[in-house]
């Protein structure tokens, strides 16, 4: 795969509308709609177990709800398809049938834009649940293909891996912009432990065109979470809060925050850089009307992005700022080189041994865990992805996926709930062309080794030139400099003390001239 001549984050999107492009580039605000359930209740309709079937049974009523939001100022209406996946619909209706009806209802409202709404599958993904990643991906892909409108909204996600499956499906199956929001509790985490910072890092690195928060809590409670998310999102921020926490009054669900208080709280988030606003549970056109007035004629507030090398699991974030001398320890004991017991465990399929090694390194203070299963007799893509799955189920530490086989790397990072570090790419054209597209597609950081077709240079200048080439090639794929860590390759001091000094010079040059974080296998010094 050849690198593009220049990187455009919106390249390949089916976005011809100048205003929508301005929104996706962070130059304009956008107003989404509010809750569907609140409006169904107000119109006296019983949603039942499958409210998505109302698109078929009462299309005029659904269209009327969309139209009410448009008249209030919504530029985007979302289709009534939150739970319209094959798993939830069962035999009641087909996904294509429901989406076609829902899109027709939304289009008939006169909305400027229609976004296909995709919610959770209703099942917990492996390794914590029973639904395999690729099965979840297939459910979301079927929905994405059926969308065929201006964009796709992946919303109310509490499982980062499920959100990843949905975003990947939408990006791989369509050329539509993807908006992705997660839902958080009062403790500032999803029920599986993901923080706003991690959600922003992972989903924006993965290629979502806007990320943010929906549902969860009222806007006052969400504002601090949005402010935490803002420095880490590499795309526009969006928020669709609830109108407070629901209460049951006379058998009806009511929400306590008024439209005026709601808009006042959202104003704080707009000041923090939120560009896309709307409502979730409990909101109606009165709320949206005030939001439209709030952002009318305004440009999005600037956000200061944190210039940090980030690696994340679903629960832990390692962020190494470019202008600070932060140090993270990568535990590298899960590597069969020179380890007889580990080789035996891998050949026997004993993943418990690998998990034990992971836990012991975590207890010893590691920040990131390297996972390498490279034995020639193994099916490395299968074994590496399984090792990553098993280890990530037990330890919250972010992982470094370590393999010289690009197929194995892709198999492992695809189903990983986080932003892994890929070890590694080097200056060889073959390596650059194989690894960098995988890193970009799955939103990974990479380790760049200072070697090429001529081997490892003996001078600092030679190592630096390779590092510079790797950084430049990564940039052409849209991988930012902060996500490239350069390994200047420590050699044994006992055999070549002069070259050891060159390694230290190379590290200095990389840090000062390229501004990259560096990686060193310090144990190699004593080999």
């Amino acid at each position: 795969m050849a690198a593009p001549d220049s990187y455009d984050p919106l390249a390949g999107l089916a976005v011809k509308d100048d205003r929508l492009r301005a929104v996706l580039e962070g130059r304009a605000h956008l107003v989404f709609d509010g809750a569907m359930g609140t409006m169904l209740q107000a119109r006296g309709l019983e949603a039942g177990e499958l409210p998505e079937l109302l698109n078929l049974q009462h299309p005029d009523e659904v269209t009327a709800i969309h139209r009410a939001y448009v008249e209030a100022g919504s530029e985007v209406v979302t289709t009534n398809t939150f739970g319209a996946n094959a798993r939830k619909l069962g035999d009641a209706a087909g996904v294509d049938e429901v989406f076609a009806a829902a899109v027709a209802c939304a289009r008939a409202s006169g909305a400027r834009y229609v976004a296909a709404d995709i919610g959770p599958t209703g099942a917990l993904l492996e390794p914590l649940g029973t639904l395999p990643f690729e099965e979840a991906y297939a459910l979301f892909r079927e929905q994405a293909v059926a969308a065929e409108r201006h964009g796709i909204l992946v919303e109310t996600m509490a499982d980062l891996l499920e959100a990843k499956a949905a975003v990947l499906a939408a990006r791989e199956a369509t050329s539509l912009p993807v908006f992705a929001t997660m839902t958080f509790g009062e403790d500032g985490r999803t029920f599986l432990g993901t923080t706003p910072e991690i959600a922003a890092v992972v989903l924006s690195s993965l290629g979502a065109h806007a990320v943010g928060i929906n549902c969860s809590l009222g806007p006052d409670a969400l504002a601090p979470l949005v402010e935490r998310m803002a420095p880490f999102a590499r795309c526009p921020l969006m928020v669709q809060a609830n109108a407070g926490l629901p209460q049951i009054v006379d058998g009806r669900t009511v929400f306590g925050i008024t439209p005026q208080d709601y808009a006042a709280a959202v104003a704080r988030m707009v000041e923090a850089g939120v560009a896309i606003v709307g409502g979730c549970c409990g909101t109606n056109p009165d709320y949206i009307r005030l939001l439209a007035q709030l952002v009318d004629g305004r440009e999005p507030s600037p956000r200061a992005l944190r210039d940090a090398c980030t690696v994340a699991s679903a629960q832990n974030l390692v962020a190494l700022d470019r202008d600070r001398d932060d140090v993270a320890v990568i535990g590298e004991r899960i590597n069969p080189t020179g380890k007889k017991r580990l080789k035996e465990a891998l050949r026997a399929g004993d993943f418990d041994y690998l998990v034990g090694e992971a836990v012991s390194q975590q207890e010893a203070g590691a920040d990131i865990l390297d996972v390498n299963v490279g034995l020639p007799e193994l099916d490395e893509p299968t074994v590496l992805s399984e090792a990553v799955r098993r280890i990530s189920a037990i330890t919250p530490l972010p992982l470094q996926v370590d393999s010289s086989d690009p197929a194995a790397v892709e198999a492992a990072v695809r189903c990983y709930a986080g932003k892994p570090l890929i070890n590694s790419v080097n200056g060889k054209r073959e390596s650059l062309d194989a690894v960098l597209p995988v890193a970009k597609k799955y939103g990974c950081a990479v380790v760049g080794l200072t070697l090429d077709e001529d081997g490892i240079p003996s001078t600092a200048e030679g190592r630096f030139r390779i590092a510079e080439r790797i950084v430049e090639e990564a940039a052409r794929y849209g991988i930012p400099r902060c996500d490239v860590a350069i390994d200047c390759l420590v050699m044994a001091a006992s055999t070549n003390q002069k070259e050891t000094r060159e390694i230290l010079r190379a590290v200095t040059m990389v840090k000062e001239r390229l501004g990259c974080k560096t990686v060193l296998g310090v144990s190699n010094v004593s080999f």
Side-chain angles (χ1 to χ4, degrees), residues 334-409:
I334 306 176
N335 186 321
T337 303
K339 300 181 182 69
K340 181 180 178 181
R341 179 66 186 87
L342 181 56
K343 289 180 181 179
E344 293 173 350
L346 288 170
R347 290 175 180 134
D350 181 5
F351 290 99
D352 289 343
Y353 181 81
L354 276 69
V355 169
E357 287 287 282
V359 171
S360 66
Q361 290 178 96
Q362 176 185 335
E363 293 173 347
D367 300 295
I368 301 168
L369 296 179
D370 182 85
V371 183
N372 184 314
V373 299
L375 291 177
E377 65 269 31
L378 297 181
D379 177 356
E380 192 172 355
T382 299
V383 176
L384 183 59
S385 58
E386 182 65 12
V388 164
R389 189 179 74 86
R390 297 283 191 97
I391 292 168
S392 61
I394 299 299
T395 175
L397 297 186
L399 300 185
Q400 174 174 276
V401 176
D402 185 355
S403 175
S404 59
D405 180 358
V409 170

Side-chain angles (χ1 to χ4, degrees), residues 261-517:
D261 290 341
Y262 186 93
V266 172
R268 172 183 168 184
M269 292 187 275
V270 170
E271 290 294 333
V274 170
I276 303 170
V277 296
C280 202
C281 302
T283 61
N284 60 38
D286 293 336
Y287 293 77
I288 302 306
R289 184 173 294 107
L290 294 181
L291 294 187
Q293 295 171 6
L294 172 68
V295 300
D296 184 39
R298 297 180 58 166
E299 292 184 0
S301 298
R303 287 186 289 124
L305 295 182
R306 189 166 166 183
D307 190 7
C309 180
T310 54
V311 186
S313 69
Q315 298 85 25
N316 278 23
L317 173 67
V318 174
L320 304 177
D321 289 287
R322 183 175 177 180
D323 59 352
R324 294 179 55 185
D325 293 326
D326 298 327
V327 176
V329 176
I330 302 174
E332 292 196 312
R333 291 199 55 79
I334 306 176
N335 186 321
T337 303
K339 300 181 182 69
K340 181 180 178 181
R341 179 66 186 87
L342 181 56
K343 289 180 181 179
E344 293 173 350
L346 288 170
R347 290 175 180 134
D350 181 5
F351 290 99
D352 289 343
Y353 181 81
L354 276 69
V355 169
E357 287 287 282
V359 171
S360 66
Q361 290 178 96
Q362 176 185 335
E363 293 173 347
D367 300 295
I368 301 168
L369 296 179
D370 182 85
V371 183
N372 184 314
V373 299
L375 291 177
E377 65 269 31
L378 297 181
D379 177 356
E380 192 172 355
T382 299
V383 176
L384 183 59
S385 58
E386 182 65 12
V388 164
R389 189 179 74 86
R390 297 283 191 97
I391 292 168
S392 61
I394 299 299
T395 175
L397 297 186
L399 300 185
Q400 174 174 276
V401 176
D402 185 355
S403 175
S404 59
D405 180 358
V409 170
E410 180 164 15
V413 302
R414 180 176 175 83
C415 58
Y416 178 63
K419 177 184 177 181
L421 185 59
I422 293 177
N423 186 17
S424 58
V425 67
N426 60 57
K428 297 178 182 178
R429 172 50 56 190
E430 179 183 11
S431 176
L432 294 167
D433 290 346
V435 177
L436 293 180
V438 173
K440 175 57 186 174
K441 178 178 179 179
Y442 296 102
C444 309
V446 294
V447 173
L449 307 182
T450 54
L451 64 87
D452 60 13
E453 289 84 357
D454 297 322
I456 303 173
S458 59
T459 65
E461 288 76 13
R463 283 177 162 87
F464 176 80
R465 282 193 293 271
I466 296 174
E468 189 174 39
R469 186 190 316 154
I470 293 170
V471 170
E472 290 174 351
E473 286 293 310
R476 293 176 65 196
Y477 281 99
I479 301 171
R481 184 175 302 238
C482 60
D483 277 349
V484 182
I486 298 297
D487 188 337
C488 291
L489 298 174
V490 170
M491 310 300 288
S494 61
T495 58
N496 193 334
Q497 293 187 14
K498 180 180 179 181
E499 191 166 334
T500 300
R501 290 193 292 271
E502 292 297 302
I503 294 163
L504 296 177
R505 286 185 59 232
V507 168
T508 301
M509 293 171 70
V510 167
K511 286 182 175 293
E512 293 181 350
R513 299 187 192 180
L514 295 180
C516 292
K517 290 298 179 182

